[in-house]
């Protein structure tokens, strides 16, 4: 088996009025189990370094999507040492159409706060079906590590860059 690489995660839990989107410690623990189970054969192990909670956040609904000016502002304000941690933000996106978004590793300098992952809080285990199994974070981490969707780039070289993630991982971690 590959040697184990410890990856530190900071989970930013943004919630709205009446604590909508606030995640219990049990749900967060279940998400970490799903994450580590999905990556078990890769040698990656994710450790939850910090949970940062933002009650009644102005970014909770509509302000957390990372390609908008408000989403960029959110990441500039909240990101914690992106060169050391995987910053994950949970908020309300636009389920079922947008469940999450992960930045690609070669898009920004290592310390840029735009690195990170945004997921809809309803995608974590224990939320409402159908996307409540915790696999959205697994999927978005694939993008964070450099994987594209299989349909991106077509079949011509370089295609979907499937051979590239190892190079990006060495540089990121």
């Amino acid at each position: 088996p590959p040697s184990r690489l410890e990856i530190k995660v900071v989970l930013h839990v943004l919630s709205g009025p009446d604590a909508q989107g606030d995640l219990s410690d049990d749900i967060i623990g279940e998400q970490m189990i799903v994450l580590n189970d999905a990556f078990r054969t890769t040698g990656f192990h994710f450790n939850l370094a910090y949970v940062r909670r933002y009650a009644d956040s102005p970014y909770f609904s509509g302000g957390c999507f990372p390609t908008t000016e408000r989403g960029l502002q959110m990441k500039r304000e909240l990101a914690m040492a992106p060169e050391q941690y995987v910053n994950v933000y949970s908020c309300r996106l636009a389920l079922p159409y947008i469940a999450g978004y992960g930045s690609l590793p070669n898009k920004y300098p290592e310390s840029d706060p735009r690195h990170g992952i945004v997921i809809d809080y309803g995608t974590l285990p224990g939320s409402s079906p159908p996307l409540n199994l915790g696999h959205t974070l697994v999927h978005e981490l694939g993008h964070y590590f450099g994987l594209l969707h299989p349909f991106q780039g077509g079949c011509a070289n370089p295609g979907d860059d499937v051979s590239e993630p190892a190079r990006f991982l060495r540089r990121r971690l």
Side-chain angles (χ1 to χ4, degrees):
S3 61
R4 192 160 132 158
L5 179 61
E6 302 291 331
I7 300 170
K8 298 178 283 187
V9 175
V10 176
L11 179 60
H12 302 269
V13 179
L14 288 72
S15 58
D18 300 323
Q20 182 183 16
D22 192 16
L23 303 171
S24 71
D25 291 341
D26 288 343
I27 288 175
I28 293 169
E30 286 296 318
Q31 177 63 72
M32 295 306 293
I33 290 169
V34 169
L35 191 57
N36 281 311
D37 188 48
F39 282 89
R40 180 182 64 250
T41 61
T42 67
F44 298 151
H45 187 266
F46 297 88
N47 291 315
L48 187 61
Y50 299 99
V51 176
R52 299 175 81 187
R53 296 179 186 276
Y54 309 91
D56 206 14
S57 171
Y59 302 115
F60 170 68
S61 183
C64 58
F65 197 73
T67 60
T68 65
E69 185 52 44
R70 280 184 52 84
L72 294 172
Q73 179 181 338
M74 175 197 73
K75 283 186 163 188
R76 284 191 299 267
E77 287 179 19
L78 306 181
M80 187 171 172
E83 68 279 6
Q84 297 176 18
Y85 301 99
V86 177
N87 284 274
V88 177
Y89 306 85
S90 71
C91 58
R92 181 168 60 195
L93 289 171
L95 281 178
Y97 306 106
I98 301 172
Y101 183 92
S103 62
L104 292 170
N106 60 341
K107 192 159 182 161
Y108 312 111
E110 294 297 313
S111 61
D112 194 306
R114 291 175 287 183
H115 281 296
I117 296 167
V118 177
I119 56 171
D120 189 286
Y121 74 94
T123 65
L124 277 80
S127 301
S128 299
L131 299 175
N132 62 326
L133 301 176
H135 296 290
T136 297
L137 182 54
V138 173
H139 175 99
E140 298 306 334
L141 272 164
H143 296 314
Y144 182 85
F145 291 145
L147 290 172
L148 301 177
H149 293 115
F151 54 81
Q152 285 178 283
C155 295
N157 193 18
D160 60 8
D161 276 336
V162 169
S163 63
E164 296 297 302
R167 179 173 60 92
F168 292 133
L169 281 175
R170 282 192 298 275
R171 199 176 83 222
R172 296 253 334 130
L173 308 170

